[in-house]
Amino acid sequence: MARLVAAGVELRKQIDRRWPRRDRRTDGWYGNADHARRISDHNPDKRGWVHAIDIDADLDKNDPKAAQRLADQLVAYARSGQPGADRIKYVVFNDRIASGTYKDTWWKWRGSGYGHQHHIHVSFTDKAPVTGRRPFPLPILNGKADASGHVKPRP
């Protein structure tokens, strides 16, 4: 039986708490038939863990930039070195990908051709099933988003 990693459960719970009336039409975590034909973090690993979630980009009708700020803060947090930041493998949104798996460039948004205009894709590392229950300390999720929306990055 497939299970979503604890980090995915926690992030989704925080997002639902922050935006209880958000659009969920493109939310998901378990891979469909298209995902099953290729390597995808939406497919269960050999232990049954699914390492990805999709979050619909329509978070707040009154704040059309909320999804971009959430994606930016996830990337900044992953780069920050804060406790639990190593749970995030990569983020895809608005035709860009930011990945912690490329240590030489760290979390730089790269290129186009990645799709995901209607939802944010978040993939989680192998640490996520065990250590994922820690809340994500993102300003936007805690109602404390400032104009820049930054989390202090690693030097």
Side-chain angles (χ1 to χ4, degrees), residues 120-140:
I120 303 166
H121 170 94
V122 183
S123 278
F124 301 97
T125 65
D126 287 337
K127 297 178 185 211
V130 178
T131 64
R133 296 195 196 309
R134 171 179 281 143
F136 287 79
L138 307 182
I140 196 168

Side-chain angles (χ1 to χ4, degrees), residues 89-150:
K89 185 175 176 183
Y90 61 87
V91 177
V92 182
F93 185 56
N94 274 341
D95 210 26
R96 301 181 302 163
I97 182 170
S99 176
T101 60
Y102 303 105
K103 299 295 185 194
D104 57 333
T105 57
W106 269 103
W107 286 84
K108 293 184 181 179
W109 287 105
R110 289 187 299 282
S112 63
Y114 293 98
H116 296 78
Q117 284 84 13
H118 302 291
H119 66 267
I120 303 166
H121 170 94
V122 183
S123 278
F124 301 97
T125 65
D126 287 337
K127 297 178 185 211
V130 178
T131 64
R133 296 195 196 309
R134 171 179 281 143
F136 287 79
L138 307 182
I140 196 168
L141 293 178
N142 298 314
K144 301 175 187 173
D146 61 11
S148 67
H150 288 0

Side-chain angles (χ1 to χ4, degrees), residues 75-91:
V75 170
Y77 172 60
R79 184 179 179 205
S80 73
Q82 293 179 28
D86 58 354
R87 297 175 289 180
I88 299 175
K89 185 175 176 183
Y90 61 87
V91 177

Side-chain angles (χ1 to χ4, degrees), residues 2-142:
R3 299 167 295 185
L4 178 60
V5 294
V9 172
E10 179 60 34
L11 181 58
R12 185 178 56 203
K13 181 174 74 175
Q14 286 182 260
I15 290 167
D16 287 346
R17 191 177 317 124
R18 174 67 173 85
W19 294 285
R21 290 181 294 278
R22 69 185 182 85
D23 188 343
R24 291 174 173 80
R25 284 180 282 184
T26 62
D27 277 14
W29 62 276
Y30 191 78
N32 60 17
D34 182 49
H35 287 94
R37 289 190 287 274
R38 57 185 165 85
I39 296 172
S40 171
D41 286 334
H42 286 292
N43 297 328
D45 66 15
K46 61 186 172 191
R47 297 166 297 169
W49 292 110
V50 173
H51 289 261
I53 62 170
D54 292 335
I55 305 154
D56 195 292
D58 295 326
L59 297 172
D60 186 338
K61 292 177 186 177
N62 298 317
D63 184 1
K65 295 183 180 182
Q68 186 62 62
R69 281 200 320 280
L70 174 59
D72 290 342
Q73 288 183 24
L74 284 164
V75 170
Y77 172 60
R79 184 179 179 205
S80 73
Q82 293 179 28
D86 58 354
R87 297 175 289 180
I88 299 175
K89 185 175 176 183
Y90 61 87
V91 177
V92 182
F93 185 56
N94 274 341
D95 210 26
R96 301 181 302 163
I97 182 170
S99 176
T101 60
Y102 303 105
K103 299 295 185 194
D104 57 333
T105 57
W106 269 103
W107 286 84
K108 293 184 181 179
W109 287 105
R110 289 187 299 282
S112 63
Y114 293 98
H116 296 78
Q117 284 84 13
H118 302 291
H119 66 267
I120 303 166
H121 170 94
V122 183
S123 278
F124 301 97
T125 65
D126 287 337
K127 297 178 185 211
V130 178
T131 64
R133 296 195 196 309
R134 171 179 281 143
F136 287 79
L138 307 182
I140 196 168
L141 293 178
N142 298 314

